[in-house]
Amino acid sequence: MLSAIERMMALARQTRDYKAFRAAAYGRSDELFCRITCDSRETVPLTLALFYLADGEVERAITYGANFGRDADTVASMVGAIAGALRGVEAIKPEWVEKIKQYTKRDQPALAADLAAVALKKRQAAADVAKTFASITDGLKVEG
Protein backbone atom coordinates (compact mmCIF):
# COMPACT_ATOMS: atom_id res chain seq x y z
CA MET A 1 0.00 0.00 0.00
CA LEU A 2 2.77 2.45 0.90
CA SER A 3 4.54 1.97 -2.41
CA ALA A 4 1.26 2.47 -4.28
CA ILE A 5 0.66 5.69 -2.34
CA GLU A 6 4.21 6.87 -3.03
CA ARG A 7 3.86 6.23 -6.78
CA MET A 8 0.51 8.02 -7.03
CA MET A 9 1.66 10.96 -4.90
CA ALA A 10 4.86 11.30 -6.93
CA LEU A 11 2.78 11.58 -10.09
CA ALA A 12 0.49 14.16 -8.47
CA ARG A 13 3.47 16.23 -7.34
CA GLN A 14 5.07 15.94 -10.76
CA THR A 15 1.98 16.98 -12.75
CA ARG A 16 0.53 19.44 -10.17
CA ASP A 17 -2.67 19.69 -12.23
CA TYR A 18 -5.77 17.49 -12.26
CA LYS A 19 -6.08 17.13 -16.03
CA ALA A 20 -2.38 16.44 -16.49
CA PHE A 21 -2.46 14.00 -13.57
CA ARG A 22 -5.48 12.14 -14.96
CA ALA A 23 -3.90 11.83 -18.41
CA ALA A 24 -0.58 10.67 -16.95
CA ALA A 25 -2.27 8.17 -14.61
CA TYR A 26 -4.26 6.61 -17.44
CA GLY A 27 -1.06 6.56 -19.50
CA ARG A 28 0.57 4.49 -16.76
CA SER A 29 -2.52 2.41 -15.98
CA ASP A 30 -0.61 -0.89 -15.95
CA GLU A 31 1.59 0.45 -13.17
CA LEU A 32 -0.94 2.50 -11.17
CA PHE A 33 -4.29 0.74 -11.53
CA CYS A 34 -5.46 -2.63 -10.25
CA ARG A 35 -7.31 -5.24 -12.27
CA ILE A 36 -10.35 -4.73 -10.02
CA THR A 37 -11.31 -1.05 -9.83
CA CYS A 38 -12.62 -1.19 -6.26
CA ASP A 39 -9.27 -2.38 -4.87
CA SER A 40 -8.13 -0.23 -1.95
CA ARG A 41 -4.57 -0.41 -3.32
CA GLU A 42 -5.89 1.82 -6.10
CA THR A 43 -8.64 3.86 -4.45
CA VAL A 44 -6.69 4.97 -1.37
CA PRO A 45 -3.60 6.24 -3.26
CA LEU A 46 -5.84 7.92 -5.82
CA THR A 47 -7.90 9.56 -3.08
CA LEU A 48 -4.80 10.99 -1.42
CA ALA A 49 -3.41 12.26 -4.74
CA LEU A 50 -6.67 13.99 -5.63
CA PHE A 51 -6.87 15.52 -2.15
CA TYR A 52 -3.39 16.93 -2.71
CA LEU A 53 -4.25 18.25 -6.17
CA ALA A 54 -7.45 19.89 -4.86
CA ASP A 55 -5.48 21.53 -2.04
CA GLY A 56 -8.02 20.05 0.35
CA GLU A 57 -10.89 22.11 -1.09
CA VAL A 58 -14.10 20.13 -0.64
CA GLU A 59 -15.96 20.86 -3.89
CA ARG A 60 -12.89 20.58 -6.07
CA ALA A 61 -11.81 17.33 -4.37
CA ILE A 62 -15.23 15.74 -4.84
CA THR A 63 -15.43 16.95 -8.44
CA TYR A 64 -12.00 15.50 -9.21
CA GLY A 65 -12.96 12.17 -7.65
CA ALA A 66 -16.34 11.99 -9.36
CA ASN A 67 -14.87 12.77 -12.77
CA PHE A 68 -11.72 10.66 -12.60
CA GLY A 69 -13.34 7.43 -13.73
CA ARG A 70 -12.58 3.95 -12.43
CA ASP A 71 -14.22 3.61 -8.96
CA ALA A 72 -15.30 7.25 -9.03
CA ASP A 73 -18.08 7.04 -6.44
CA THR A 74 -15.78 5.48 -3.84
CA VAL A 75 -12.93 7.89 -4.54
CA ALA A 76 -15.23 10.95 -4.54
CA SER A 77 -16.75 9.83 -1.23
CA MET A 78 -13.39 9.24 0.41
CA VAL A 79 -11.72 12.42 -0.83
CA GLY A 80 -14.82 14.44 0.08
CA ALA A 81 -14.86 12.97 3.57
CA ILE A 82 -11.20 13.82 4.13
CA ALA A 83 -11.56 17.36 2.75
CA GLY A 84 -14.77 17.90 4.72
CA ALA A 85 -13.14 16.68 7.92
CA LEU A 86 -10.22 19.03 7.36
CA ARG A 87 -12.19 22.12 6.31
CA GLY A 88 -15.40 21.62 8.31
CA VAL A 89 -19.03 21.74 7.28
CA GLU A 90 -18.71 25.45 6.53
CA ALA A 91 -16.56 24.58 3.49
CA ILE A 92 -19.33 22.46 1.96
CA LYS A 93 -21.81 24.16 -0.34
CA PRO A 94 -24.94 24.94 1.71
CA GLU A 95 -27.18 23.45 -0.99
CA TRP A 96 -25.26 20.17 -0.72
CA VAL A 97 -25.75 20.14 3.04
CA GLU A 98 -29.47 20.83 2.63
CA LYS A 99 -29.84 18.04 0.08
CA ILE A 100 -28.22 15.57 2.47
CA LYS A 101 -30.64 16.66 5.20
CA GLN A 102 -33.55 15.99 2.81
CA TYR A 103 -32.48 12.46 1.93
CA THR A 104 -31.15 11.08 5.20
CA LYS A 105 -33.03 10.16 8.32
CA ARG A 106 -29.88 10.31 10.46
CA ASP A 107 -28.94 13.52 12.29
CA GLN A 108 -25.61 14.21 10.55
CA PRO A 109 -24.12 16.58 13.18
CA ALA A 110 -24.91 14.03 15.89
CA LEU A 111 -23.40 11.26 13.79
CA ALA A 112 -20.24 13.34 13.25
CA ALA A 113 -19.98 14.00 17.00
CA ASP A 114 -20.40 10.28 17.75
CA LEU A 115 -17.72 9.34 15.21
CA ALA A 116 -15.34 11.94 16.63
CA ALA A 117 -15.92 10.60 20.15
CA VAL A 118 -15.13 7.05 18.99
CA ALA A 119 -11.95 8.26 17.27
CA LEU A 120 -10.83 10.07 20.42
CA LYS A 121 -11.49 6.96 22.54
CA LYS A 122 -9.47 4.82 20.12
CA ARG A 123 -6.62 7.33 20.15
CA GLN A 124 -6.58 7.28 23.96
CA ALA A 125 -6.68 3.47 24.03
CA ALA A 126 -3.72 3.31 21.63
CA ALA A 127 -1.80 5.81 23.77
CA ASP A 128 -2.53 3.72 26.87
CA VAL A 129 -1.28 0.56 25.18
CA ALA A 130 1.89 2.34 24.00
CA LYS A 131 2.51 3.64 27.54
CA THR A 132 2.02 0.18 29.03
CA PHE A 133 4.29 -1.40 26.43
CA ALA A 134 6.96 1.23 27.05
CA SER A 135 6.85 0.56 30.79
CA ILE A 136 7.14 -3.19 30.22
CA THR A 137 10.05 -2.90 27.79
CA ASP A 138 11.85 -0.05 29.56
CA GLY A 139 15.45 -1.05 30.06
CA LEU A 140 15.33 -4.11 27.81
CA LYS A 141 17.96 -4.46 25.14
CA VAL A 142 16.34 -4.86 21.78
CA GLU A 143 18.47 -5.83 18.83
CA GLY A 144 17.18 -4.94 15.47
mmCIF file of all heavy atoms in Angstrom, residues 41-84:
data_model
loop_
_atom_site.group_PDB
_atom_site.id
_atom_site.type_symbol
_atom_site.label_atom_id
_atom_site.label_comp_id
_atom_site.label_asym_id
_atom_site.label_seq_id
_atom_site.Cartn_x
_atom_site.Cartn_y
_atom_site.Cartn_z
ATOM 1 N N ARG A 41 -5.942 -0.754 -2.899
ATOM 2 C CA ARG A 41 -4.571 -0.410 -3.319
ATOM 3 C C ARG A 41 -4.577 0.579 -4.481
ATOM 4 O O ARG A 41 -3.546 1.151 -4.814
ATOM 5 C CB ARG A 41 -3.796 -1.680 -3.686
ATOM 6 C CG ARG A 41 -3.535 -2.572 -2.471
ATOM 7 C CD ARG A 41 -3.010 -3.897 -2.885
ATOM 8 N NE ARG A 41 -4.031 -4.585 -3.681
ATOM 9 C CZ ARG A 41 -3.867 -5.767 -4.227
ATOM 10 N NH1 ARG A 41 -2.721 -6.411 -4.119
ATOM 11 N NH2 ARG A 41 -4.839 -6.327 -4.915
ATOM 12 N N GLU A 42 -5.725 0.786 -5.070
ATOM 13 C CA GLU A 42 -5.895 1.818 -6.099
ATOM 14 C C GLU A 42 -6.661 3.013 -5.548
ATOM 15 O O GLU A 42 -6.254 4.163 -5.736
ATOM 16 C CB GLU A 42 -6.649 1.250 -7.296
ATOM 17 C CG GLU A 42 -6.928 2.271 -8.375
ATOM 18 C CD GLU A 42 -7.668 1.702 -9.573
ATOM 19 O OE1 GLU A 42 -7.380 0.567 -9.988
ATOM 20 O OE2 GLU A 42 -8.535 2.415 -10.100
ATOM 21 N N THR A 43 -7.775 2.760 -4.871
ATOM 22 C CA THR A 43 -8.642 3.863 -4.455
ATOM 23 C C THR A 43 -8.013 4.743 -3.379
ATOM 24 O O THR A 43 -8.178 5.969 -3.420
ATOM 25 C CB THR A 43 -10.013 3.353 -3.977
ATOM 26 O OG1 THR A 43 -9.839 2.448 -2.891
ATOM 27 C CG2 THR A 43 -10.775 2.684 -5.111
ATOM 28 N N VAL A 44 -7.303 4.157 -2.432
ATOM 29 C CA VAL A 44 -6.687 4.968 -1.370
ATOM 30 C C VAL A 44 -5.584 5.869 -1.921
ATOM 31 O O VAL A 44 -5.598 7.080 -1.675
ATOM 32 C CB VAL A 44 -6.190 4.079 -0.197
ATOM 33 C CG1 VAL A 44 -5.353 4.882 0.784
ATOM 34 C CG2 VAL A 44 -7.377 3.426 0.505
ATOM 35 N N PRO A 45 -4.615 5.344 -2.689
ATOM 36 C CA PRO A 45 -3.601 6.242 -3.257
ATOM 37 C C PRO A 45 -4.205 7.324 -4.156
ATOM 38 O O PRO A 45 -3.785 8.488 -4.111
ATOM 39 C CB PRO A 45 -2.704 5.297 -4.069
ATOM 40 C CG PRO A 45 -2.880 3.967 -3.430
ATOM 41 C CD PRO A 45 -4.311 3.943 -2.983
ATOM 42 N N LEU A 46 -5.200 6.956 -4.941
ATOM 43 C CA LEU A 46 -5.844 7.919 -5.819
ATOM 44 C C LEU A 46 -6.553 9.003 -5.010
ATOM 45 O O LEU A 46 -6.466 10.194 -5.327
ATOM 46 C CB LEU A 46 -6.821 7.211 -6.752
ATOM 47 C CG LEU A 46 -7.529 8.069 -7.792
ATOM 48 C CD1 LEU A 46 -6.527 8.847 -8.638
ATOM 49 C CD2 LEU A 46 -8.393 7.194 -8.667
ATOM 50 N N THR A 47 -7.228 8.605 -3.958
ATOM 51 C CA THR A 47 -7.905 9.565 -3.078
ATOM 52 C C THR A 47 -6.916 10.577 -2.507
ATOM 53 O O THR A 47 -7.167 11.786 -2.519
ATOM 54 C CB THR A 47 -8.617 8.816 -1.935
ATOM 55 O OG1 THR A 47 -9.674 8.031 -2.491
ATOM 56 C CG2 THR A 47 -9.176 9.763 -0.897
ATOM 57 N N LEU A 48 -5.793 10.097 -2.013
ATOM 58 C CA LEU A 48 -4.797 10.993 -1.421
ATOM 59 C C LEU A 48 -4.194 11.933 -2.467
ATOM 60 O O LEU A 48 -3.971 13.122 -2.200
ATOM 61 C CB LEU A 48 -3.718 10.181 -0.715
ATOM 62 C CG LEU A 48 -4.220 9.351 0.468
ATOM 63 C CD1 LEU A 48 -3.105 8.467 1.010
ATOM 64 C CD2 LEU A 48 -4.797 10.242 1.554
ATOM 65 N N ALA A 49 -3.959 11.421 -3.666
ATOM 66 C CA ALA A 49 -3.408 12.261 -4.738
ATOM 67 C C ALA A 49 -4.403 13.351 -5.140
ATOM 68 O O ALA A 49 -4.017 14.509 -5.324
ATOM 69 C CB ALA A 49 -3.039 11.395 -5.946
ATOM 70 N N LEU A 50 -5.669 13.005 -5.255
ATOM 71 C CA LEU A 50 -6.673 13.993 -5.629
ATOM 72 C C LEU A 50 -6.878 15.022 -4.518
ATOM 73 O O LEU A 50 -7.089 16.212 -4.795
ATOM 74 C CB LEU A 50 -7.985 13.314 -6.005
ATOM 75 C CG LEU A 50 -7.926 12.444 -7.264
ATOM 76 C CD1 LEU A 50 -9.266 11.765 -7.512
ATOM 77 C CD2 LEU A 50 -7.490 13.252 -8.475
ATOM 78 N N PHE A 51 -6.804 14.588 -3.285
ATOM 79 C CA PHE A 51 -6.871 15.521 -2.151
ATOM 80 C C PHE A 51 -5.735 16.531 -2.245
ATOM 81 O O PHE A 51 -5.937 17.736 -2.081
ATOM 82 C CB PHE A 51 -6.797 14.734 -0.835
ATOM 83 C CG PHE A 51 -6.786 15.597 0.382
ATOM 84 C CD1 PHE A 51 -7.964 16.148 0.860
ATOM 85 C CD2 PHE A 51 -5.609 15.858 1.056
ATOM 86 C CE1 PHE A 51 -7.959 16.958 1.994
ATOM 87 C CE2 PHE A 51 -5.593 16.664 2.177
ATOM 88 C CZ PHE A 51 -6.772 17.214 2.652
ATOM 89 N N TYR A 52 -4.548 16.056 -2.543
ATOM 90 C CA TYR A 52 -3.386 16.926 -2.713
ATOM 91 C C TYR A 52 -3.609 17.906 -3.863
ATOM 92 O O TYR A 52 -3.389 19.113 -3.719
ATOM 93 C CB TYR A 52 -2.136 16.073 -2.958
ATOM 94 C CG TYR A 52 -0.939 16.847 -3.440
ATOM 95 C CD1 TYR A 52 -0.138 17.539 -2.541
ATOM 96 C CD2 TYR A 52 -0.615 16.891 -4.791
ATOM 97 C CE1 TYR A 52 0.963 18.266 -2.980
ATOM 98 C CE2 TYR A 52 0.484 17.611 -5.235
ATOM 99 C CZ TYR A 52 1.260 18.295 -4.330
ATOM 100 O OH TYR A 52 2.341 19.019 -4.773
ATOM 101 N N LEU A 53 -4.049 17.406 -5.002
ATOM 102 C CA LEU A 53 -4.247 18.252 -6.174
ATOM 103 C C LEU A 53 -5.342 19.297 -5.954
ATOM 104 O O LEU A 53 -5.279 20.397 -6.505
ATOM 105 C CB LEU A 53 -4.574 17.407 -7.403
ATOM 106 C CG LEU A 53 -3.422 16.547 -7.927
ATOM 107 C CD1 LEU A 53 -3.926 15.542 -8.945
ATOM 108 C CD2 LEU A 53 -2.323 17.428 -8.517
ATOM 109 N N ALA A 54 -6.344 18.965 -5.158
ATOM 110 C CA ALA A 54 -7.445 19.886 -4.864
ATOM 111 C C ALA A 54 -7.100 20.834 -3.728
ATOM 112 O O ALA A 54 -7.925 21.681 -3.359
ATOM 113 C CB ALA A 54 -8.705 19.097 -4.525
ATOM 114 N N ASP A 55 -5.918 20.706 -3.170
ATOM 115 C CA ASP A 55 -5.482 21.527 -2.045
ATOM 116 C C ASP A 55 -6.478 21.442 -0.892
ATOM 117 O O ASP A 55 -6.705 22.411 -0.180
ATOM 118 C CB ASP A 55 -5.273 22.976 -2.486
ATOM 119 C CG ASP A 55 -4.450 23.779 -1.483
ATOM 120 O OD1 ASP A 55 -3.587 23.181 -0.803
ATOM 121 O OD2 ASP A 55 -4.688 24.997 -1.368
ATOM 122 N N GLY A 56 -7.089 20.279 -0.751
ATOM 123 C CA GLY A 56 -8.017 20.045 0.348
ATOM 124 C C GLY A 56 -9.346 20.766 0.229
ATOM 125 O O GLY A 56 -10.152 20.729 1.156
ATOM 126 N N GLU A 57 -9.622 21.403 -0.904
ATOM 127 C CA GLU A 57 -10.890 22.112 -1.087
ATOM 128 C C GLU A 57 -11.991 21.091 -1.388
ATOM 129 O O GLU A 57 -11.871 20.297 -2.323
ATOM 130 C CB GLU A 57 -10.779 23.125 -2.221
ATOM 131 C CG GLU A 57 -9.854 24.281 -1.887
ATOM 132 C CD GLU A 57 -9.752 25.280 -3.014
ATOM 133 O OE1 GLU A 57 -10.654 25.333 -3.892
ATOM 134 O OE2 GLU A 57 -8.745 26.009 -3.025
ATOM 135 N N VAL A 58 -13.059 21.153 -0.613
ATOM 136 C CA VAL A 58 -14.098 20.125 -0.644
ATOM 137 C C VAL A 58 -14.710 19.947 -2.035
ATOM 138 O O VAL A 58 -14.702 18.840 -2.584
ATOM 139 C CB VAL A 58 -15.205 20.428 0.393
ATOM 140 C CG1 VAL A 58 -16.320 19.400 0.309
ATOM 141 C CG2 VAL A 58 -14.619 20.466 1.799
ATOM 142 N N GLU A 59 -15.265 21.000 -2.599
ATOM 143 C CA GLU A 59 -15.963 20.859 -3.887
ATOM 144 C C GLU A 59 -15.016 20.391 -4.986
ATOM 145 O O GLU A 59 -15.357 19.500 -5.771
ATOM 146 C CB GLU A 59 -16.612 22.177 -4.292
ATOM 147 C CG GLU A 59 -17.415 22.057 -5.564
ATOM 148 C CD GLU A 59 -18.134 23.339 -5.953
ATOM 149 O OE1 GLU A 59 -18.077 24.337 -5.203
ATOM 150 O OE2 GLU A 59 -18.758 23.334 -7.030
ATOM 151 N N ARG A 60 -13.846 20.970 -5.032
ATOM 152 C CA ARG A 60 -12.885 20.579 -6.073
ATOM 153 C C ARG A 60 -12.466 19.116 -5.885
ATOM 154 O O ARG A 60 -12.377 18.363 -6.851
ATOM 155 C CB ARG A 60 -11.669 21.504 -6.029
ATOM 156 C CG ARG A 60 -10.839 21.396 -7.266
ATOM 157 C CD ARG A 60 -9.871 22.530 -7.492
ATOM 158 N NE ARG A 60 -9.336 23.153 -6.314
ATOM 159 C CZ ARG A 60 -8.096 23.619 -6.204
ATOM 160 N NH1 ARG A 60 -7.266 23.519 -7.218
ATOM 161 N NH2 ARG A 60 -7.673 24.196 -5.107
ATOM 162 N N ALA A 61 -12.220 18.710 -4.648
ATOM 163 C CA ALA A 61 -11.810 17.332 -4.371
ATOM 164 C C ALA A 61 -12.889 16.340 -4.820
ATOM 165 O O ALA A 61 -12.593 15.343 -5.479
ATOM 166 C CB ALA A 61 -11.507 17.159 -2.886
ATOM 167 N N ILE A 62 -14.126 16.630 -4.465
ATOM 168 C CA ILE A 62 -15.230 15.742 -4.841
ATOM 169 C C ILE A 62 -15.400 15.715 -6.358
ATOM 170 O O ILE A 62 -15.598 14.646 -6.953
ATOM 171 C CB ILE A 62 -16.533 16.171 -4.143
ATOM 172 C CG1 ILE A 62 -16.415 15.928 -2.636
ATOM 173 C CG2 ILE A 62 -17.738 15.434 -4.723
ATOM 174 C CD1 ILE A 62 -17.542 16.536 -1.817
ATOM 175 N N THR A 63 -15.298 16.872 -6.981
ATOM 176 C CA THR A 63 -15.432 16.948 -8.437
ATOM 177 C C THR A 63 -14.336 16.151 -9.123
ATOM 178 O O THR A 63 -14.596 15.412 -10.075
ATOM 179 C CB THR A 63 -15.416 18.415 -8.899
ATOM 180 O OG1 THR A 63 -16.497 19.103 -8.258
ATOM 181 C CG2 THR A 63 -15.570 18.524 -10.405
ATOM 182 N N TYR A 64 -13.106 16.280 -8.647
ATOM 183 C CA TYR A 64 -12.002 15.496 -9.210
ATOM 184 C C TYR A 64 -12.287 14.001 -9.074
ATOM 185 O O TYR A 64 -12.133 13.236 -10.019
ATOM 186 C CB TYR A 64 -10.687 15.821 -8.510
ATOM 187 C CG TYR A 64 -10.059 17.158 -8.831
ATOM 188 C CD1 TYR A 64 -8.906 17.547 -8.174
ATOM 189 C CD2 TYR A 64 -10.600 18.035 -9.765
ATOM 190 C CE1 TYR A 64 -8.301 18.762 -8.440
ATOM 191 C CE2 TYR A 64 -10.003 19.256 -10.039
ATOM 192 C CZ TYR A 64 -8.849 19.620 -9.374
ATOM 193 O OH TYR A 64 -8.246 20.815 -9.620
ATOM 194 N N GLY A 65 -12.688 13.584 -7.882
ATOM 195 C CA GLY A 65 -12.958 12.168 -7.650
ATOM 196 C C GLY A 65 -14.094 11.644 -8.511
ATOM 197 O O GLY A 65 -14.001 10.571 -9.107
ATOM 198 N N ALA A 66 -15.173 12.417 -8.603
ATOM 199 C CA ALA A 66 -16.344 11.986 -9.363
ATOM 200 C C ALA A 66 -16.069 11.902 -10.854
ATOM 201 O O ALA A 66 -16.673 11.095 -11.558
ATOM 202 C CB ALA A 66 -17.511 12.937 -9.097
ATOM 203 N N ASN A 67 -15.147 12.715 -11.338
ATOM 204 C CA ASN A 67 -14.873 12.766 -12.775
ATOM 205 C C ASN A 67 -13.634 11.993 -13.191
ATOM 206 O O ASN A 67 -13.311 11.956 -14.379
ATOM 207 C CB ASN A 67 -14.745 14.230 -13.228
ATOM 208 C CG ASN A 67 -16.079 14.909 -13.218
ATOM 209 O OD1 ASN A 67 -16.956 14.576 -13.991
ATOM 210 N ND2 ASN A 67 -16.255 15.841 -12.299
ATOM 211 N N PHE A 68 -12.958 11.362 -12.250
ATOM 212 C CA PHE A 68 -11.724 10.660 -12.597
ATOM 213 C C PHE A 68 -11.985 9.396 -13.404
ATOM 214 O O PHE A 68 -11.213 9.018 -14.268
ATOM 215 C CB PHE A 68 -10.916 10.310 -11.343
ATOM 216 C CG PHE A 68 -9.551 9.808 -11.661
ATOM 217 C CD1 PHE A 68 -8.512 10.694 -11.900
ATOM 218 C CD2 PHE A 68 -9.299 8.450 -11.771
ATOM 219 C CE1 PHE A 68 -7.248 10.241 -12.233
ATOM 220 C CE2 PHE A 68 -8.035 7.985 -12.108
ATOM 221 C CZ PHE A 68 -7.014 8.881 -12.343
ATOM 222 N N GLY A 69 -13.091 8.736 -13.110
ATOM 223 C CA GLY A 69 -13.340 7.431 -13.733
ATOM 224 C C GLY A 69 -12.958 6.334 -12.760
ATOM 225 O O GLY A 69 -12.758 6.579 -11.577
ATOM 226 N N ARG A 70 -12.889 5.118 -13.263
ATOM 227 C CA ARG A 70 -12.584 3.953 -12.433
ATOM 228 C C ARG A 70 -13.644 3.838 -11.334
ATOM 229 O O ARG A 70 -14.825 3.894 -11.626
ATOM 230 C CB ARG A 70 -11.161 4.029 -11.873
ATOM 231 C CG ARG A 70 -10.065 4.319 -12.869
ATOM 232 C CD ARG A 70 -9.613 3.158 -13.674
ATOM 233 N NE ARG A 70 -9.038 2.097 -12.850
ATOM 234 C CZ ARG A 70 -8.880 0.863 -13.263
ATOM 235 N NH1 ARG A 70 -9.221 0.520 -14.475
ATOM 236 N NH2 ARG A 70 -8.364 -0.055 -12.483
ATOM 237 N N ASP A 71 -13.261 3.725 -10.058
ATOM 238 C CA ASP A 71 -14.222 3.609 -8.961
ATOM 239 C C ASP A 71 -14.544 5.011 -8.423
ATOM 240 O O ASP A 71 -14.292 5.344 -7.273
ATOM 241 C CB ASP A 71 -13.655 2.709 -7.863
ATOM 242 C CG ASP A 71 -14.696 2.260 -6.865
ATOM 243 O OD1 ASP A 71 -15.892 2.539 -7.079
ATOM 244 O OD2 ASP A 71 -14.322 1.637 -5.864
ATOM 245 N N ALA A 72 -15.116 5.831 -9.299
ATOM 246 C CA ALA A 72 -15.296 7.252 -9.033
ATOM 247 C C ALA A 72 -16.159 7.535 -7.804
ATOM 248 O O ALA A 72 -15.861 8.457 -7.045
ATOM 249 C CB ALA A 72 -15.896 7.938 -10.257
ATOM 250 N N ASP A 73 -17.216 6.756 -7.591
ATOM 251 C CA ASP A 73 -18.084 7.036 -6.444
ATOM 252 C C ASP A 73 -17.348 6.809 -5.126
ATOM 253 O O ASP A 73 -17.466 7.593 -4.188
ATOM 254 C CB ASP A 73 -19.377 6.232 -6.507
ATOM 255 C CG ASP A 73 -19.165 4.729 -6.545
ATOM 256 O OD1 ASP A 73 -18.132 4.268 -7.087
ATOM 257 O OD2 ASP A 73 -20.028 3.992 -6.043
ATOM 258 N N THR A 74 -16.552 5.760 -5.053
ATOM 259 C CA THR A 74 -15.775 5.485 -3.842
ATOM 260 C C THR A 74 -14.735 6.565 -3.620
ATOM 261 O O THR A 74 -14.599 7.103 -2.515
ATOM 262 C CB THR A 74 -15.093 4.110 -3.948
ATOM 263 O OG1 THR A 74 -16.105 3.108 -4.066
ATOM 264 C CG2 THR A 74 -14.221 3.821 -2.747
ATOM 265 N N VAL A 75 -13.993 6.897 -4.656
ATOM 266 C CA VAL A 75 -12.931 7.894 -4.542
ATOM 267 C C VAL A 75 -13.514 9.258 -4.178
ATOM 268 O O VAL A 75 -13.002 9.952 -3.288
ATOM 269 C CB VAL A 75 -12.085 7.956 -5.834
ATOM 270 C CG1 VAL A 75 -11.105 9.110 -5.798
ATOM 271 C CG2 VAL A 75 -11.352 6.632 -6.039
ATOM 272 N N ALA A 76 -14.602 9.663 -4.845
ATOM 273 C CA ALA A 76 -15.229 10.951 -4.539
ATOM 274 C C ALA A 76 -15.723 10.989 -3.092
ATOM 275 O O ALA A 76 -15.572 12.008 -2.404
ATOM 276 C CB ALA A 76 -16.376 11.226 -5.506
ATOM 277 N N SER A 77 -16.280 9.889 -2.623
ATOM 278 C CA SER A 77 -16.750 9.827 -1.234
ATOM 279 C C SER A 77 -15.591 9.951 -0.249
ATOM 280 O O SER A 77 -15.673 10.698 0.728
ATOM 281 C CB SER A 77 -17.487 8.510 -0.974
ATOM 282 O OG SER A 77 -18.646 8.435 -1.741
ATOM 283 N N MET A 78 -14.528 9.218 -0.514
ATOM 284 C CA MET A 78 -13.392 9.243 0.415
ATOM 285 C C MET A 78 -12.696 10.596 0.405
ATOM 286 O O MET A 78 -12.390 11.148 1.470
ATOM 287 C CB MET A 78 -12.396 8.123 0.089
ATOM 288 C CG MET A 78 -12.934 6.740 0.379
ATOM 289 S SD MET A 78 -11.706 5.398 0.335
ATOM 290 C CE MET A 78 -10.933 5.585 -1.244
ATOM 291 N N VAL A 79 -12.434 11.146 -0.772
ATOM 292 C CA VAL A 79 -11.722 12.420 -0.828
ATOM 293 C C VAL A 79 -12.603 13.541 -0.272
ATOM 294 O O VAL A 79 -12.112 14.456 0.396
ATOM 295 C CB VAL A 79 -11.195 12.726 -2.251
ATOM 296 C CG1 VAL A 79 -12.285 13.157 -3.202
ATOM 297 C CG2 VAL A 79 -10.094 13.776 -2.203
ATOM 298 N N GLY A 80 -13.906 13.456 -0.498
ATOM 299 C CA GLY A 80 -14.817 14.441 0.083
ATOM 300 C C GLY A 80 -14.869 14.361 1.592
ATOM 301 O O GLY A 80 -14.917 15.387 2.284
ATOM 302 N N ALA A 81 -14.841 13.149 2.113
ATOM 303 C CA ALA A 81 -14.860 12.970 3.567
ATOM 304 C C ALA A 81 -13.595 13.542 4.210
ATOM 305 O O ALA A 81 -13.660 14.210 5.245
ATOM 306 C CB ALA A 81 -15.009 11.488 3.913
ATOM 307 N N ILE A 82 -12.460 13.295 3.583
ATOM 308 C CA ILE A 82 -11.199 13.819 4.127
ATOM 309 C C ILE A 82 -11.185 15.344 4.062
ATOM 310 O O ILE A 82 -10.856 16.019 5.045
ATOM 311 C CB ILE A 82 -9.989 13.220 3.378
ATOM 312 C CG1 ILE A 82 -9.903 11.713 3.639
ATOM 313 C CG2 ILE A 82 -8.696 13.908 3.808
ATOM 314 C CD1 ILE A 82 -8.918 10.983 2.737
ATOM 315 N N ALA A 83 -11.550 15.899 2.907
ATOM 316 C CA ALA A 83 -11.563 17.358 2.749
ATOM 317 C C ALA A 83 -12.580 17.990 3.693
ATOM 318 O O ALA A 83 -12.294 19.021 4.320
ATOM 319 C CB ALA A 83 -11.860 17.728 1.298
ATOM 320 N N GLY A 84 -13.746 17.381 3.812
ATOM 321 C CA GLY A 84 -14.766 17.899 4.725
ATOM 322 C C GLY A 84 -14.327 17.854 6.178
ATOM 323 O O GLY A 84 -14.575 18.786 6.944
#
